[in-house]
Amino acid sequence: MWVVIQLTTALDGTTGDETYKVDLQTDSVEGFTSPTVIGSVNFTRGDPVGTRKVIGFPITNEEFLRLNYVLGGTTPIGGFSAWLTDQESSQIGRAHV
């Protein structure tokens, strides 16, 4: 399985210090009181809308999973969508693993 994250709105780079990271997290508690990062991708201001990044879905994880969007800098603005697929990452159009 793969988690695909696609950029749907251009990323802001007004001040140049903006950062965009997506973590796949797992935890045994629904409230994610002590999440473990099991995969991560970074987007950059130069990525065009439509860019897809892929995180391999590990075989072992805890009961709950989520994507956590970690934005940094002065004005981080952007839009993303995400989904699961069983396609190999090389078959997912415009994907970066």
Side-chain angles (χ1 to χ4, degrees), residues 2 4 7 22 25-26 37 48 52 74 76 80 84 88-89 91-92 97:
W2 304 88
V4 181
L7 183 61
V22 183
Q25 297 180 339
T26 188
V37 175
R52 293 177 179 173
T74 306
F80 302 89
L84 296 173
E88 290 293 326
S89 64
Q91 297 175 357
I92 301 169
V97 179

Side-chain angles (χ1 to χ4, degrees), residues 57-75:
F57 202 91
I59 294 173
T60 58
N61 53 63
E62 298 181 51
E63 185 175 359
F64 298 96
L65 295 163
R66 73 175 179 186
L67 288 177
N68 186 49
Y69 295 84
V70 184
L71 308 178
T74 306
T75 58

Side-chain angles (χ1 to χ4, degrees), residues 7 14 25 34-35 83:
L7 183 61
T14 302
Q25 297 180 339
S34 58
W83 63 92

